[in-house]
Each structure stands twice: as C-alpha cells, then as structure tokens.
Amino acid sequence: MPDAKQKYTAADIQVLEGLEAVRRRPSMYIGSTDERGLHHLVYEIVDNSIDEAMAGFCDRISIVIGTDGSVTVSDNGRGIPVDKHKRTGKSALETVMTYLHAGGKFDSQAYKVSGGLHGVGAAVVNALSSEMWVEVRRNGKTHRQVYERGKAKGPLKTSSNGAKETGTTTWFLPDHEIFDDPTFDFNTLMQRFREMAFLTKGIWIEFSDERVDRSFTYYFEGGIRSFVARLNKDRHTYHEPFYMERNVEGTMVEIALQYNDSFNESTFSFANCIRTIDGGTHLTGFRSALTRALNEYARKAKILKDADSNLSGEDTREGLVAVISVKLAEPQFEGQTKGRLGNAELKGIVESALGEALSSWLEEHPQDARKIIEKGLTAARAREAARKARDLVIKKGFLDDSVLPGKLADCSERNPEVRELHLVEGPSAGGTAKEGRDRRFQAILPLRGKILNVEKARPDKALAHEDIRAVITALGAGFGEDFNAEKLRYHRVIIMTDADVDGAHIRTLLLTFFFRYMPELIDGRHLYIAQPPLFRVQKGKDVRWFFSDKDKDAYLSKLKETRGLMVQRYKGLGEMNPSQLWETTMDPEIRTVLEVTVPDAVEADRVFSDLMGEEVAPRKRFIQAHYDRAKLDV
Ligand code: 0RA
C-alpha cells in the first residue's frame, strides 16, 4: 500500500513533453483506436480514482455514460492538487492534464496500483478527447478548467462553495477524429467495474448508462472473498472461503480460495488490478504453496500415510476456485499480450505468505482441511485410472489421427485453413448435410444427440464418450493441456443444431466441452454456430427464408394479398432437403454463422457452471434468457 500520510504537491510532478505525440500516434499510448482503445480511456480515468481509494482517501466512484457518448467520472477523494507547479508555472491540475508523463504519483515515493499508463492517463485521455473538463473540490472551493484536444481552453476558474466535501469530477468526449466508432459498450464497462470493485475492498462503484437508462452499484465488503463466493454461487462448496491479506515489504498479497465439488479449476490472478491471463510468478508461488501446505498438513494429520505418495499439484487444484491479487510498485508484464507477471521476487513473496497463512488455517479448520485433502486423494486416484485408460486407448489406436471416426464424412481439400467441420445434431440431419454440402471443403460429423455433460464428469468418463472422442479425433489437435492448434485439421468448426430448445441444449453441451477441453479453439476464433432458418415463405415462385418470427411477420404484413402464399415452419434441420439446407445454412456465400467468443473469462466460467453444474434453476434461467440472442457471447 502507498503510504497514506505521504503528501504530494505540485513539486513532485515531473514534466516531460507535450501532447502532440499522443494525437500523432494514439496506439502507442492506448494500444489501439478501436473498441478496446476507446474503453481504455474510461479505465485510465477510473484508475486514478481507484488509486486515490487505495491510498485510503476515497470510497466512492461514479461513472456516467451520457446520451451524447460522453463520460463523467466522479470521486470523493482529496481532489487533484491545484497549487502552482514550479517547472511549468501552471497549476498542478493543468500540468497533469496537458503534459505527458506528468504523473506525480508515479515517482518512487508511491506507486500507482491499478496499472494503466503510469499516471499519464488523464493527459492521454485529454489529448484524445474533443472536449474535456475537470472539476476539483478542495478547501471549500471549486476549481474548474476546460480543455479541447489536449489544450487548455481557458484558465483554471475558482469559485467558493464553502462545502466541506472534496473530490474530483472529470468529463470527456472521445474524439471522433481519433476513434473509428466512439460507442461504449455497456457490458464491457459493467464487467470491468465489477471486477474493479471486487479487487478494491470497501469501494462503492456506481455505474450508469443514460443511453439505455441502466445503472448498477457495486460494493463488495469482502473484496476478493466475495469474488470467490460469487464464482462459487450455485455450486456445492466444501467450506467457507479461505482469505488472507498481507503486506510484504510494500507488496500487497491478497488471496481467497474455496473448493467446490466440481472437477475444474478456476483460478484468476491479477497484478495491480489487471488480469494476468497467462499467470506468472505470483501464480507459480501460489501453486507451489498450495501443494506444499496441503501435503504437509496431510502428513501431519496422518490423512496421508507413510506409504502414500504426495498429492500432485493437479490433484490439489480439482474443484478449486481462487483469486490471487498482488499489488506491487513496478509490475513487469511479459509475453506477447503482456498477460504474464514477470517480477521474479513475487514467487517467493506469494509462496511464503500463502504457505504460512494457509497452514494456520488448515490447523484451525481440521474438518475443512480433511474434506479438501480427501478430494485431492480422490482426484489422484481418478487421475491414475484415467492415465491407465488413456494408455490403453493409445495402445488401441484411439486418438491416433490416422484412424478417423467412422461417421465422419471428410472433405477433399487439404489446406486446413479452408476446411470446415460441421457438427450436426442427429444422424438424419447428418445425412441431409452430407448430401447438401460442398464436399470439397465441408466435412460432416453427425452426433448421436445429447453429448456428455463434461461439467459433471471426470476427464476419463468424458474421454470414454463416443461423440466426444469422435470430435477430438476428427479435429486432430488433442485436448486439454496437450491441445495444439497448429495440428487442427479444420480451421472452422461449425455447430449445427435444430432451432429448438433441445438443439439449444446440445449446442450448450458442445460449447461447454470446447470451453473446458479446447479453450484455444474459441480464443483462436475457430468455433461457429450455424443459423438455420425458422420459416420458409413461398409466394408464387418467390421463395424466402426467415430466421426469426419478427422478420417473417414484418414481411407478411407488407404483402397485399395472400393468394398462393405458403408459410412453412422448420422445427428441425431434418425437415429441410439437402439443397434447402445448403442454400439456407451451409452456402458460405449466403449463410450467416455466429462466431463464438468469450469476452470475459470470469463470467464465462460462471455461465458454464451455472448451465451445466448441479443446480437446475440457474441453467433454466440462462437457456431462457439466451435462447434467441443474436450474438452468442458465452
Ligand atoms: C495527488 C495528490 C493528491 C490527490 C491526487 C493526486 C488525486 C488525483 C486524482 C485523480 C482522480 N481523482 C484524484 N484524487 C486525488 C492530494 C494531495 C493532498 O491533498 O495533499
């Protein structure tokens, strides 16, 4: 944590350069000028308020998206200083807003915890906004300055308000000269603010979007403890969450974890409030401490006998839900997408902090400890059984891609980039698809019907399932940690199910399988969902297909007379003949397919466990809510 008593004044702020550079090369500062970069602007400003909260001076942040596409961020912190800055001769506020690298807080004195652009955030946002203003409430006065494309439009205006309240309000309008489409996405923002609220214990974040008249307030008393509880909502858990928070020489380590009765691991790691998708040193430290503490306790409590071997890391992570959040002075984000924390010292810091805290917790909660270790032992036995089963299948030639599944009707084209694999519900529709397809590049794999729910089955069971094996072998790229996208035999995998509730269920089962066993297939944008039509409307020789009730009704209502009119409803793929299926659903020239994307891994994890886990109610809710959504954001 930064030292809360530390005072900053204008003198702490270093001046480097003007903002022309930012307008010339915006991507250097915000990554891109597409949707991502646009949302980055909001995060930069909110991050500054989060920092003020982390320093202990602010507990409320509000964000409003205006009908004009503007953003207002308000906090109840101390207010940005407005005293005169020695080097620029301007106010600290104006200096912070109009010069690059004018971030006082990023000097060695303290650190910016929420990541971002090292304190240059506000200036970058200013440079990329066609209009901006900041209002600071301090010392019973209101100070206000207006900017345009990074330049002050007038002096800092001060008026007395006599109020005790302090804080900062920032308003900006993203520059349409910079951004291709300056439209904010409600869900993207909402998810990020929720995450920020989880990661900053005790903060109230109010978010409202006046364009759609929706608003949310987030407050999580327990911080990441609440995060873990939320991830486990609707799952059967074994104990109350374990939680620890520790400051090791200026580095904050916060960890919450809780086991459930599933077989999956859901661990989310963060450094300075930024998701570290590819883990890093903090995650490595976490894992080794977890394995070590559980094994040590298991030996001491004689749950593991002398002759037993230790639980492996994997065994200790079955059914684990964990959130690891570290905050450090100079985070190094590594890897192609900067998704991995590189600071070497974090491994030891997290390892010893968690080791100590978890060992004490296990001593204090012997019943919980026993349940967790027994779960690990069961996992170990199952893994051993799975290994044997796997050796056996490998011996028999299963998962050897020279032996393709018998039901697969392959295509003739050799280049995987143009090859498509259609997973078709049921043998009858499979037959139609085989006849209707373009056999040069479209392969068909008919599925029996319902595939196994992998959310409720161990990997060995899943692999014994015929359809699942067929899908894995047909794709030829392995699964789980051994998945290798370079070996994919098809770069497009298209799920084709009936347009009814059963079809939706089968589709969800398949999505769950891909999400758990081949997430790279989704990340790599290889997975699609076919869109078969719901209606065929014929009037004389004119035949039209409709994909929704609404479109069909709109068309019918425009018709002047109904003579020779024939409206047919298609319930299943099997009701179409091969040429109809080709024409409406398979022909790349006219079909529409939905790309499956997972924009938010935290949400997706919960959605899949909601959908496919033990509890029935949430699943119903989801299927009903998402049944005919246009874009499948799982
Ligand atoms: C440095 C010093 C002080 C406040 C802030 C930064 C500050 C910045 C932002 C940005 C958004 N909201 C903010 N709130 C506070 C205060 C120094 C003092 O009062 O001693």
Side-chain angles (χ1 to χ4, degrees), residues 7-8 45 48-49 52 75 77-81 105 138 168:
K7 287 272 187 214
Y8 299 90
I45 300 299
N48 292 334
S49 300
E52 185 69 355
D75 69 48
R78 292 166 296 176
I80 300 176
K105 289 200 284 177
R138 266 174 91 94
T168 305

Side-chain angles (χ1 to χ4, degrees), residues 183-441:
T183 314
F184 292 104
D185 180 65
F186 178 85
N187 282 317
T188 305
L189 292 171
M190 183 194 71
Q191 276 159 10
R192 176 68 184 139
F193 297 146
R194 188 185 56 212
E195 191 171 273
M196 283 176 161
F198 275 128
L199 293 166
T200 317
K201 203 167 31 179
I203 189 135
W204 292 83
I205 298 186
E206 297 163 16
F207 170 43
S208 63
D209 188 335
E210 293 179 344
R211 300 169 307 173
V212 290
D213 199 17
R214 288 177 73 183
S215 62
F216 277 94
T217 299
Y218 293 112
Y219 169 78
F220 301 106
E221 201 175 348
I224 61 170
R225 198 178 344 192
S226 313
F227 200 161
V228 159
R230 184 193 147 91
L231 287 163
N232 265 332
K233 180 176 158 274
D234 302 321
R235 283 172 175 159
H236 294 298
T237 53
Y238 288 146
H239 56 93
E240 289 301 308
F242 157 86
Y243 174 78
M244 63 151 291
E245 179 183 30
R246 194 180 275 205
N247 186 336
V248 185
E249 290 162 28
T251 296
M252 276 286 309
V253 180
E254 204 184 347
I255 295 172
L257 66 86
Q258 187 181 33
Y259 283 87
N260 62 49
D261 67 352
S262 81
F263 309 115
N264 305 302
E265 178 195 358
S266 307
T267 298
F268 296 94
S269 63
F270 298 84
N272 292 13
C273 294
I274 297 171
R275 257 303 283 291
T276 38
I277 298 249
D278 304 315
T281 49
H282 54 337
L283 184 65
T284 311
F286 167 84
R287 289 185 163 168
S288 69
L290 181 72
T291 313
R292 161 118 41 95
L294 288 177
N295 275 308
E296 277 175 9
Y297 179 84
R299 295 258 171 233
K300 234 167 119 197
K302 304 249 182 320
I303 309 171
L304 268 182
K305 305 284 178 316
D306 288 346
D308 293 337
S309 49
N310 270 356
L311 294 172
S312 73
E314 261 182 292
D315 297 335
T316 62
R317 296 195 294 271
E318 234 186 60
L320 172 68
V321 168
V323 175
I324 300 141
S325 166
V326 297
K327 287 165 183 161
L328 63 162
E330 282 175 48
Q332 285 149 24
F333 294 101
E334 296 179 341
Q336 221 169 31
T337 52
K338 304 277 173 230
R340 188 173 59 241
L341 183 67
N343 303 59
E345 68 282 6
L346 262 285
K347 177 176 180 291
I349 291 177
V350 174
E351 191 170 347
S352 64
L354 176 63
E356 280 172 34
L358 186 59
S359 296
S360 325
W361 185 86
L362 292 167
E363 300 280 352
E364 288 157 21
H365 300 80
Q367 284 168 343
D368 296 343
R370 181 170 287 272
K371 280 186 244 170
I372 292 170
I373 288 158
E374 276 169 2
K375 169 136 182 99
L377 286 169
T378 317
R381 283 191 287 271
R383 209 175 306 287
E384 180 60 19
R387 193 185 56 75
K388 285 192 182 137
R390 208 160 151 160
D391 286 353
L392 207 70
V393 256
I394 288 169
K395 267 192 216 128
K396 279 194 199 151
F398 162 57
L399 290 187
D400 166 359
D401 48 15
S402 60
V403 190
L404 288 169
K407 291 186 299 179
L408 175 72
D410 213 350
C411 50
S412 55
E413 176 66 57
R414 292 185 161 257
N415 178 5
E417 283 174 29
V418 299
R419 286 159 59 96
E420 297 182 349
L421 178 66
H422 293 250
L423 303 174
V424 185
E425 171 186 355
S428 121
T432 313
K434 273 183 205 174
E435 272 185 64
R437 68 177 170 150
D438 183 333
R439 61 179 62 240
R440 278 172 309 176
F441 68 96

